[in-house]
Amino acid sequence: MLLSYLKIAWKVLQRRKFFTFISLFGISFTLMILLVVYALYDHTVGPHTPEKRVDRLLFVTHVGLWAPNSQSNSNPSYSFLNRYVRPLRTPEKVSIATGGGYAVAYVGNTKLKLSQKGTDGAFWQVLDFDFLAGRPYSVQEVGTDARVAVINESTARRYFGAVAGAVGRTIEADATGYRVVGVVRDVPAARTLSTADMWIPLGLAVDVNEPNYFGNCMAILLAPSAEALPAMQAEFKQVMRHVPVQDPKEFTELRVYANTLLGFTVRELMTDNDGPDDGVAWFGRVALGVALLFMLLPALNLVNLNVSRMLERSSEIGVRKAFGATAGRLVGQFLVENIFLTLLGGVLGLALAAGVLALLNGSSIIEHAQFALNGRVFAVALGAVLFFGLLSGVYPAYKMSKLPAIQALKGGTN
């Protein structure tokens, strides 16, 4: 039965090639836009290197001190995170790193501005970098402030000319020499919490004895499993409720949150991002609403085209009804035909999206970005195609299935 429906759908598409072209263009263009946007979203907050275990990670990136008439916000200091976050019992591991910074290196007369991040030894165990050569620096090397560094692939090529042979050599940044112990694959700039050109031991980048709450650090918490993430977040909230407010004469409340990577990204996009709500639910509703509105216009256009296409088939519908075809069977047939059409449009949309993403990869708009159509993007594409097919096919199918047999045989439609 299904194979017969598909053969009929193919014949119908070939009858009016212009209608078919308009339909496929609208579907494929709409899906291309949706898939490119979703690929960008997935690239930014999805499970990719080095945050492959993103469903187990929480990030503590900001501390706020509040009073009825004043507020002060900044990155937390190492001492704050080391005293109140590192001792948490639920996380499997806790890493502390700097938020970021820059160092200058020279290759001949060429100046290189290298983004630099100071990290502890656990940083390499919490995140999953792809090492092209060498190794990460160890906890012991961090403890002794050894002048060692891990650099990314681009820095190795720009400074040493190649990845091969970079390990063991010295890179000089801000007039300080560091022995390269490892080279990792480039991390996209969109991964703001982990990307850098050069990573060095934490004690070389910040004052670990700074007593104030404010500094230039962040903490990364790794849960034992994805199911343990809520418990880890609950323990974090419980502990933070008992942290004393620094400078109680001026401030009355401490605000510090542990966010998922998506929560951190949404907070960065929001203008009012200092409340307990990370805005993820709001972001989901807005994104879903925009996607539905974006699909609605081409869906209405496809509804009109489907109605026009079915007008030509009223005689066929009349004959089928006369031989006992039920309304449900006719609705099923029309929906299969429409979903077949949208699947063809989906394939074209995927091809167009792959082309657009390849152009974005080549343009270097986002440094080190490599967008791709992975399994999650394919799943979204399939879901969007099925939804689009149902959205644009239900009304025409229902309308024609309810047409009286005699009226249909006469070519009527009302």
Side-chain angles (χ1 to χ4, degrees):
M1 183 73 73
L2 180 61
L3 183 60
S4 300
Y5 287 170
L6 294 177
K7 288 181 178 177
I8 293 173
W10 180 248
K11 294 294 182 184
V12 170
L13 293 180
Q14 290 181 316
R15 284 182 193 170
R16 301 288 295 272
K17 292 184 173 58
F18 181 71
F19 275 13
T20 302
F21 169 76
I22 294 296
S23 301
L24 289 177
F25 178 80
I27 297 166
S28 58
F29 187 78
T30 302
L31 287 174
M32 178 197 72
I33 299 295
L34 289 175
L35 293 181
V36 169
V37 171
Y38 184 78
L40 295 174
Y41 165 84
D42 183 78
H43 177 80
T44 304
V45 299
H48 295 287
T49 303
E51 292 100 351
K52 289 181 179 176
R53 297 173 286 181
V54 70
D55 58 339
R56 295 170 55 187
L57 295 173
L58 291 176
F59 300 86
V60 183
T61 57
H62 288 85
V63 170
L65 290 170
W66 285 67
N69 299 317
S70 64
Q71 65 183 57
S72 185
N73 299 284
S74 179
N75 297 106
S77 66
Y78 173 84
S79 60
F80 175 85
L81 296 172
N82 191 51
R83 182 174 181 181
Y84 298 114
V85 178
R86 197 187 289 278
L88 294 178
R89 290 175 297 180
T90 309
E92 181 178 307
K93 289 186 182 299
V94 176
S95 170
I96 299 176
T98 61
Y102 287 92
V104 174
Y106 289 90
V107 180
N109 294 324
T110 303
K111 178 180 176 181
L112 301 181
K113 186 179 180 182
L114 304 177
S115 59
Q116 190 181 70
K117 192 180 288 293
T119 80
D120 59 10
F123 183 79
W124 307 104
Q125 301 164 8
V126 169
L127 301 180
D128 300 285
F129 287 81
D130 288 340
F131 273 82
L132 303 177
R135 59 171 178 81
Y137 43 79
S138 65
V139 175
Q140 289 73 24
E141 287 171 319
V142 173
T144 58
D145 290 339
R147 297 193 182 282
V148 293
V150 172
I151 60 176
N152 68 357
E153 181 180 1
S154 294
T155 301
R157 295 189 190 284
R158 287 187 294 172
Y159 196 88
F160 299 110
V163 172
V167 173
R169 299 173 68 180
T170 299
I171 181 171
E172 190 169 304
D174 282 348
T176 302
Y178 300 90
R179 180 169 55 87
V180 176
V181 297
V183 180
V184 298
R185 196 178 303 281
D186 291 334
V187 177
R191 298 278 175 165
T192 58
L193 296 175
S194 55
T195 187
D197 295 316
M198 180 178 181
W199 295 265
I200 61 175
L202 189 63
L204 303 177
V206 295
D207 180 5
V208 297
N209 298 312
E210 168 59 55
N212 293 320
Y213 283 3
F214 292 159
N216 181 32
C217 287
M218 64 172 181
I220 308 174
L221 285 65
L222 176 67
S225 65
E227 292 73 23
L229 197 72
M232 189 167 73
Q233 200 151 35
E235 185 193 7
F236 178 85
K237 291 179 181 177
Q238 176 68 19
V239 169
M240 289 303 122
R241 275 198 285 268
H242 295 90
V243 174
V245 176
Q246 191 177 39
D247 197 358
K249 292 182 179 178
E250 184 175 355
F251 299 104
T252 58
E253 183 184 358
L254 174 72
R255 294 188 177 184
V256 54
Y257 309 108
N259 300 295
T260 61
L261 184 58
L262 176 58
F264 163 78
T265 305
V266 173
R267 281 187 186 276
E268 292 294 298
L269 295 175
M270 295 169 63
T271 54
D272 180 17
N273 61 357
D274 298 315
D277 184 1
D278 61 9
V280 170
W282 167 83
F283 176 79
R285 290 193 296 270
V286 171
L288 181 61
V290 171
L292 288 175
L293 286 175
F294 186 70
M295 293 178 69
L296 186 60
L297 184 60
L300 290 176
N301 182 50
L302 188 56
V303 167
N304 288 328
L305 289 174
N306 283 339
V307 170
S308 299
R309 194 190 297 273
M310 289 180 182
L311 292 179
E312 303 169 354
R313 304 173 61 186
S314 57
S315 298
E316 171 197 336
I317 295 167
V319 170
R320 293 201 59 191
K321 282 201 164 190
F323 279 90
T326 63
R329 177 162 291 184
L330 289 173
V331 167
Q333 177 185 343
F334 294 143
L335 286 179
V336 168
E337 291 179 10
N338 200 56
I339 289 174
F340 177 69
L341 175 65
T342 54
L343 281 174
L344 290 178
V347 172
L348 291 174
L350 277 171
L352 291 173
V356 171
L357 294 177
L359 289 175
L360 289 175
N361 289 337
S363 67
S364 301
I365 292 177
I366 301 176
E367 192 175 19
H368 307 320
Q370 286 298 320
F371 302 107
L373 297 176
N374 55 37
R376 292 180 295 279
V377 178
F378 275 107
V380 169
L382 182 61
V385 164
L386 294 176
F387 179 76
F388 199 82
L390 292 174
L391 185 66
S392 60
V394 166
Y395 173 72
Y398 175 78
K399 180 179 174 65
M400 296 308 294
S401 68
K402 293 299 181 184
L403 194 64
I406 296 177
Q407 188 176 347
L409 286 170
K410 292 179 178 178
T413 58
N414 297 318

